[in-house]
Amino acid sequence: MAEPAYTVASDSENTGEEKSSSSPSLPEIAVGIDIGTSQCSIAVWNGSQVHILRNTRNQKLIKSFVTFKDEVPAGGVSNQLSHEQEMLTGAAIFNMKRLIGRVDTDPVVHASKNLPFFVQTLDIGVRPFIAALVNNAWRSTTPEEVLAIFLVELRLMAETQLKRAVRNVVLTVPVSFSRFQLTRMERACAMAGLHVLRLMPEPTAIALLYAQQQQMTTHENMGSGSERLAVIFNIGAGYCDVAVTATAGGVSQIKSLAGNAIGGEDILQNTMRYIAPPNKEASGLLRVATQDAIHRLSSQENVQIEVDLGDGDMVSKVLDRLEFEEVNEKVFQECERLVVQCLRDARVESGDIDDVIMVGGCSCIPKVRAILKNVCKKDEIYKDVNPLEAAVRGAALEGAVTSGIHDPFGSLDLLTIQATALAVGVRANGNKFVPVIPRNTMVPARKDLFFTTVHDDQKEALIVVCEGEGETVEENHLLGFFKIVGIPPSQKGVPEINVCMDIDASNALRVFAAVLMPGSKSPVVPVVEVRMPTVDDGHGWCAQALNVKYGSTLDLITLQRKM
Amino acid sequence: MKSYKGSSILATDFYIRPISSLPTSFPSTTLSYPTRNRFLSTRIQARLIHDDPVKQSEDLSFYDLLGVTESVTLPEIKQAYKQLARKYHPDVSPPDRVEEYTDRFIRVQEAYETLSDPRRRVLYDRDLSMGFSFSFSGRRRNRFDEEVVEEKSEWKKKWQTQLSGLKRRSNQKENSNSMSWAARMRRQHHHMSDDDSSS
């Protein structure tokens, strides 16, 4: 078997310019890719239904990792591992999705230091140092590069099977990803020669699949436009996501989203810490044994764990389900909190819920199922989706819909109305974060707020754009900043500074700022338009640096409405 | 994502749409920022087309926007909204009219958000009966109303109690190591808002 050439495009920031669409005459059907923390899948609309592609070993689910042991790095698509332990020698990089776009002060990065490959943090808010063990030397890489190598393999696999070039993709992403992390995903795709049509929060991909199923079942009794409310819960290895969706007539309207970076990896590490002898927590053998035990605990009340860790260290333990649930109590509590928050944000009563859909590798854990049944007051979980395939199927549907494909049988008369997972806003009123577009606003969206100056004759104002849910600027992700200049001399509180934010269907955020004076019909200085995010790694410093440099001299406060 | 070649639009492209006879006279002007790439050309194109959804929608009431009567029921509002979404959402609109349809879609959304919330609908109807028929007036007061409405809502109270119960439970054994930064921040945030409401 000939080794494919792994070419990765230059690591350039100018991905926007490459994103021109392909030939307009014949629309290329975008493929759907579900990039999971531990495994991946790829699917495409084949003209009548969604088809999940298989790798050379006939697998639909492909392990997400890249090994650096040979001259050329090889990913999980083509690479054959003799044993799972080979992944744990330090030569393979995995869990890229947990690391991408995170800085070295992030607890999720710190939790990855137990992994067999090298994760070094200097705790100053910059990109962590990540390396794989090659011939007893650490070869440095980045999560984007690892992801790009993996995506190139996926692309080549798809191109071979579909017998055409694959360029346009719809990618699923965790709900909790910040815009900064999303740009990293896009960059990895660009490096792999892929053009991202949509980055879909995972549960919204499932919502689209559900909308199609509902559309099909209600087709017989035409015109029954009754709306169905579904709670979608996804928990994989790295992330937990929740969505509430209202579905009618093939339209899935996302009412609320919630998510956090918790998942199977946390459950695995908690359990390993619990059963491991001191200083042996990072053992690869133990990792494999624990993972296996957790899987078996989904169907058994207790499991026997026997591992020989070498050096006379033996693990021999019976782990029962209650113990396991105790050890991971905080993970399960967070799952519950996310569901409750999502229902609250959607303004939904548990009695109104028609279906509870559970997907992802950890959705079969009995405790997680019990939580969902309890919170949603449902005895049954929706059965018509495959928990491991639903996301990629939804992404493939979205790929077909956004590529403008029509289906004569109406299977593609679908639409997802997305919502924002995190609020976007500006720094104002001291160091407060003032949302301009709140969380769970339907997209595309455009909203504006008025601000004014805090000093007499203030000629300039700093617009600091953030994303998140925190009260203060520091608690949120900094997306970028710019200065408006040329505010006419006037008393404080007089100039009207309008900040408008626009999110388009592909989730691109643009921020506009204009200065108006009372009575004037048009802005007194040219309007500023900035695409966000504009900051790169180490952005934590920027907010601090701005504080040091300008203090409150360029501050804004929200303009009180004259009622 | 789409091509942004045209996104660096010259500042001269914006224009101002004066809104007269607003109930709350602030702000006296509203700004119109460039919507999408090729903004100017579509605007001109749109004016040449007889049935111009963007221009029309500026003076329509929320009911007009959704194409329903003022006696409409909630299920009918939901249905109308989803039907219009099928027409105006950028994912499904004809490629040459995406920009104007997106504008229209955002307006339809505002109409839906207000009319699908019984309390906000009452407030909007009151304004409407006083002769302020512009959808824009409703939009201006959205947020203010939202705050008032949220305090009273039953659904909120119910989930809020459950959320604070969950928080209490997890705080008892708190050592925040395994929580992500975002989770801790959100928790902090929730505590703050709890304090606000109790005072």
Side-chain angles (χ1 to χ4, degrees):
Chain A
M1 200 175 77
E3 279 285 330
Y6 294 102
T7 46
V8 163
S10 76
D11 189 8
S12 96
E13 284 286 0
N14 303 323
T15 52
E17 282 304 302
E18 298 169 30
K19 290 178 195 166
S20 53
S21 50
S22 52
S23 68
S25 53
L26 200 82
E28 173 198 334
I29 304 179
V31 300
I33 300 180
D34 176 30
I35 291 266
T37 306
S38 77
Q39 45 197 11
C40 273
S41 45
I42 178 167
V44 67
W45 179 258
N46 70 3
S48 59
Q49 59 181 8
V50 171
H51 171 63
I52 302 183
L53 304 182
R54 293 168 186 268
N55 67 3
T56 47
R57 275 162 295 152
N58 206 29
Q59 294 168 317
K60 288 200 228 172
L61 294 168
I62 300 156
K63 272 209 163 307
S64 318
F65 70 92
V66 170
T67 53
F68 286 84
K69 64 176 176 178
D70 305 316
E71 281 300 301
V72 275
V77 179
S78 60
N79 194 19
Q80 209 129 3
L81 290 177
S82 54
H83 195 274
E84 178 126 25
Q85 276 143 264
E86 225 185 293
M87 219 170 115
L88 305 167
T89 56
I93 306 266
F94 53 94
N95 280 11
M96 294 85 92
K97 207 166 85 170
R98 289 265 273 198
L99 293 166
I100 196 161
R102 291 189 190 273
V103 291
D104 64 0
T105 44
D106 193 317
V108 177
V109 173
H110 281 249
S112 303
K113 286 168 132 181
N114 277 341
L115 299 176
F117 56 90
F118 195 49
V119 179
Q120 188 184 65
T121 61
L122 291 168
D123 305 324
I124 54 166
V126 296
R127 189 187 259 277
F129 177 67
I130 292 164
L133 195 58
V134 189
N135 301 328
N136 213 28
W138 291 112
R139 180 200 185 280
S140 90
T141 182
T142 63
E144 290 92 320
E145 188 188 42
V146 175
L147 211 55
I149 292 166
F150 186 80
L151 284 166
V152 165
E153 282 198 355
L154 269 187
R155 197 189 92 203
L156 292 174
M157 176 191 123
E159 287 181 340
T160 313
Q161 292 182 29
L162 300 174
K163 300 184 178 63
R164 65 165 167 94
V166 169
R167 182 161 162 76
N168 292 341
V169 291
V170 170
L171 216 65
T172 63
V173 289
V175 167
S176 59
F177 261 21
S178 69
R179 284 176 184 275
F180 181 67
Q181 286 172 301
L182 296 179
T183 61
R184 300 294 97 178
M185 291 294 275
E186 280 188 77
R187 184 142 160 215
C189 286
M191 286 162 78
L194 294 170
H195 165 222
V196 177
L197 281 187
R198 290 282 187 279
L199 290 170
M200 257 190 135
E202 270 148 41
T204 72
I206 293 139
L208 191 63
L209 179 67
Y210 174 73
Q212 193 204 32
Q213 292 178 347
Q214 294 308 312
Q215 172 88 323
M216 290 292 115
T217 52
T218 54
H219 244 300
E220 294 91 63
N221 38 339
M222 280 287 278
S224 71
S226 72
E227 190 179 74
R228 285 184 78 81
L229 272 179
V231 174
I232 298 166
F233 183 86
N234 170 41
I235 184 162
Y239 294 89
C240 176
D241 310 290
V242 195
V244 173
T245 173
T247 304
V251 180
S252 158
Q253 178 203 344
I254 306 300
K255 293 180 85 87
S256 62
L257 290 169
N260 199 356
I262 52 156
E265 181 64 33
D266 300 287
I267 293 174
L268 179 59
Q269 290 202 16
N270 289 342
T271 315
M272 276 169 72
R273 255 197 305 276
Y274 178 68
I275 59 175
N279 305 320
K280 287 281 180 184
E281 290 96 339
S283 155
L285 285 168
L286 186 68
R287 195 182 159 92
V288 175
T290 313
Q291 204 153 20
D292 177 54
I294 294 171
H295 285 163
R296 282 186 289 143
L297 269 180
S298 287
S299 53
Q300 289 167 235
E301 281 300 323
N302 55 61
V303 289
Q304 175 80 29
I305 304 168
E306 299 278 353
V307 203
D308 185 351
L309 298 175
D311 306 334
D313 273 317
M314 287 286 289
V315 172
S316 175
K317 181 168 170 44
V318 175
L319 181 69
D320 69 41
R321 208 184 265 178
L322 273 178
E323 261 177 301
F324 169 75
E325 286 168 7
E326 183 80 13
V327 168
N328 291 295
E329 199 190 352
K330 272 192 298 206
V331 173
F332 297 136
Q333 273 175 5
E334 178 63 7
C335 292
E336 186 171 357
R337 193 192 64 79
L338 289 171
V339 178
V340 171
Q341 182 193 309
C342 205
L343 288 168
R344 187 199 61 179
D345 290 353
R347 308 172 180 208
V348 164
E349 298 278 358
S350 47
D352 302 333
I353 301 165
D354 293 295
D355 288 303
V356 177
I357 305 169
M358 293 186 72
V359 295
C362 291
S363 66
C364 53
I365 294 175
K367 177 71 181 172
V368 179
R369 298 180 83 81
I371 289 170
L372 264 286
K373 284 180 184 171
N374 177 43
V375 174
C376 302
K377 306 253 183 314
K378 280 270 161 198
D379 300 328
E380 291 289 326
I381 303 291
Y382 187 74
K383 291 198 177 70
D384 294 338
V385 296
N386 178 328
L388 301 178
E389 292 178 0
V392 77
R393 285 183 183 277
L397 283 177
E398 177 79 4
V401 172
T402 48
S403 304
I405 309 296
H406 288 282
D407 178 59
F409 302 104
S411 326
L412 288 180
D413 291 347
L414 303 171
L415 177 66
T416 327
I417 303 168
Q418 292 283 359
T420 55
L422 296 166
V424 281
V426 294
R427 173 185 181 272
N429 306 338
N431 205 32
K432 289 280 187 322
F433 169 67
V434 177
V436 175
I437 299 184
R439 180 175 80 208
N440 296 323
T441 301
M442 284 182 277
V443 176
R446 171 175 285 227
K447 291 192 188 286
D448 64 333
L449 280 181
F450 276 87
F451 297 90
T452 189
T453 52
V454 295
H455 303 289
D456 290 337
D457 296 331
Q458 184 179 331
K459 293 188 191 65
E460 301 180 337
L462 196 58
I463 310 283
V464 179
V465 180
C466 308
E467 178 181 56
E469 296 302 320
E471 291 259 296
T472 65
V473 169
E474 285 75 22
E475 294 168 48
N476 297 292
H477 304 279
L478 180 74
L479 296 178
F481 42 84
F482 59 93
K483 203 164 72 170
I484 336 178
V485 297
I487 303 170
S490 55
Q491 276 191 319
K492 65 182 175 189
V494 172
E496 297 166 4
I497 297 161
N498 184 264
V499 177
C500 175
M501 296 196 179
D502 181 285
I503 299 175
D504 71 13
S506 53
N507 200 27
L509 170 70
R510 287 181 304 157
V511 179
F512 305 88
V515 182
L516 290 165
M517 293 304 281
S520 74
K521 289 276 183 210
S522 59
V524 292
V525 290
V527 172
V528 182
E529 174 191 337
V530 185
R531 269 206 72 192
M532 295 279 171
T534 57
V535 289
D536 205 335
D537 292 27
H539 48 291
W541 288 114
C542 300
Q544 283 177 38
L546 287 170
N547 261 340
V548 170
K549 175 98 179 164
Y550 298 102
S552 67
T553 54
L554 305 183
D555 268 15
L556 290 172
I557 54 166
T558 40
L559 193 53
Q560 294 304 311
R561 239 167 256 148
K562 300 159 198 156
M563 294 301 277
Chain B
M1 307 206 172
K2 43 165 77 169
S3 151
Y4 291 97
K5 280 175 187 155
S7 64
S8 56
I9 284 164
L10 293 176
T12 47
D13 283 359
F14 63 78
Y15 81 112
I16 294 302
R17 189 199 316 146
I19 297 286
S20 50
S21 66
L22 280 178
T24 52
S25 61
F26 183 81
S28 53
T29 52
T30 179
L31 287 160
S32 212
Y33 295 102
T35 46
R36 300 286 178 271
N37 39 357
R38 299 184 291 114
F39 163 77
L40 204 59
S41 58
T42 356
R43 286 274 168 187
I44 294 162
Q45 272 169 27
R47 261 175 226 138
L48 297 173
I49 300 165
H50 177 61
D51 177 20
D52 169 10
V54 175
K55 191 161 167 284
Q56 273 187 2
S57 61
E58 278 165 20
D59 358 293
L60 294 175
S61 82
F62 283 164
Y63 294 101
D64 297 337
L65 273 167
L66 290 177
V68 294
T69 63
E70 284 176 39
S71 57
V72 68
T73 64
L74 188 57
E76 286 166 353
I77 288 173
K78 287 181 177 176
Q79 203 173 352
Y81 167 68
K82 293 222 163 67
Q83 270 167 10
L84 289 169
R86 292 287 296 269
K87 181 171 181 193
Y88 291 117
H89 192 281
D91 278 2
V92 289
S93 55
D96 54 329
R97 302 190 77 175
V98 168
E99 294 155 36
E100 44 176 312
Y101 275 27
T102 300
D103 249 28
R104 174 75 174 224
F105 182 69
I106 290 173
R107 281 165 209 277
V108 166
Q109 233 158 231
E110 282 169 8
Y112 169 76
E113 275 166 21
T114 303
L115 298 186
S116 63
D117 181 325
R119 288 182 178 85
R120 274 158 74 183
R121 186 174 169 187
V122 167
L123 291 167
Y124 178 74
D125 285 349
R126 199 184 58 197
D127 278 0
L128 204 60
S129 66
M130 289 160 74
F132 307 122
S133 69
F134 295 106
S135 55
F136 186 70
S137 65
R139 180 174 132 191
R140 273 294 135 209
R141 47 186 309 167
N142 270 356
R143 284 216 192 152
F144 168 72
D145 294 338
E146 223 163 314
E147 282 159 30
V148 177
V149 170
E150 294 216 358
E151 284 313 307
K152 296 174 190 161
S153 304
E154 276 307 306
W155 55 261
K156 180 164 186 184
K157 234 186 266 169
K158 188 184 154 223
W159 291 119
Q160 201 69 56
T161 327
Q162 198 160 344
L163 264 183
S164 38
L166 281 171
K167 261 180 283 173
R168 243 195 333 274
R169 248 167 60 197
S170 59
N171 283 355
Q172 281 165 359
K173 302 187 174 186
E174 187 54 57
N175 48 47
S176 56
N177 306 339
S178 70
M179 291 301 251
S180 78
W181 174 85
R184 277 185 287 123
M185 287 313 165
R186 264 198 292 274
R187 182 165 290 177
Q188 225 170 60
H189 171 65
H190 280 300
H191 282 310
M192 281 182 210
S193 45
D194 282 358
D195 296 344
D196 290 347
S197 55
S198 60
S199 61

